[in-house]
Amino acid sequence: MPQTDERRAGVSHKTDELASTLLGRALDVLAVGEDLHVLLALGDESGHIESLEFAEDGPEECLEGARKAAAESADAVRYALAYRGAIADEEGAYQDAVILEFGERGYRSYSAYSLVDVTGDEDTFGWTEPAPAGEVEPLL
């Protein structure tokens, strides 16, 4: 009988907290006018969080490197990835965004985005509340 990958829907409290914290960190980086590289947070069963930044290659290579690091982590039970991207609006125009991917072993993995208005000034920096962007391929 073929095996199926039965994953639970939804997000645990710990994964939601990890993803929210990482999104906040990404928004803070952009608010002060710094470059946002690919950020990865890995959480283990005991609650220890390992934070990594991928900046040595181009954006696609850094994103693939972060995904690979999450997938190959021996101890991680949850992860969150944040990076800068763009989201098409209803008219097909692209808007700057922070993209978030997150998941947990045994659960489905999801993505979300927050539109950003990057001005380089904390007082005028703007962002939207995170919006769901759908399921992504699980890394754990």
Side-chain angles (χ1 to χ4, degrees):
M1 180 170 258
Q3 291 207 338
T4 58
D5 188 16
E6 293 295 324
R7 292 181 176 266
R8 291 183 276 181
V11 178
S12 74
H13 172 72
K14 288 182 179 182
T15 299
D16 183 50
E17 187 176 301
L18 181 70
S20 295
T21 300
L22 189 65
L23 177 60
R25 181 172 164 219
L27 293 172
D28 288 346
V29 166
L30 290 174
V32 296
E34 295 178 10
D35 289 334
L36 176 62
H37 302 289
V38 177
L39 304 178
L40 172 63
L42 300 169
D44 67 15
E45 194 64 48
S46 68
H48 173 76
I49 306 298
E50 180 181 10
S51 296
L52 303 165
E53 182 174 2
F54 295 78
E56 296 300 316
D57 292 313
E60 288 299 319
E61 292 82 8
C62 287
L63 182 55
E64 288 307 311
R67 287 177 176 148
K68 182 177 179 184
E72 293 177 352
S73 174
D75 297 325
V77 295
R78 65 188 51 84
Y79 71 94
L81 272 166
Y83 52 95
R84 193 159 178 190
I87 300 294
D89 64 17
E90 297 82 28
E91 287 127 31
Y94 285 90
Q95 298 184 32
D96 286 335
V98 173
I99 312 295
L100 184 66
E101 298 178 16
F102 50 95
E104 183 171 346
R105 193 175 312 282
Y107 283 81
R108 294 178 183 164
S109 294
Y110 300 96
S111 63
Y113 67 92
S114 179
L115 298 177
V116 292
D117 183 14
V118 180
T119 62
D121 179 353
E122 287 181 273
D123 295 328
T124 59
F125 175 74
W127 73 95
T128 62
E129 288 295 317
E135 282 190 50
V136 293
E137 187 67 30
L139 300 178
L140 298 177

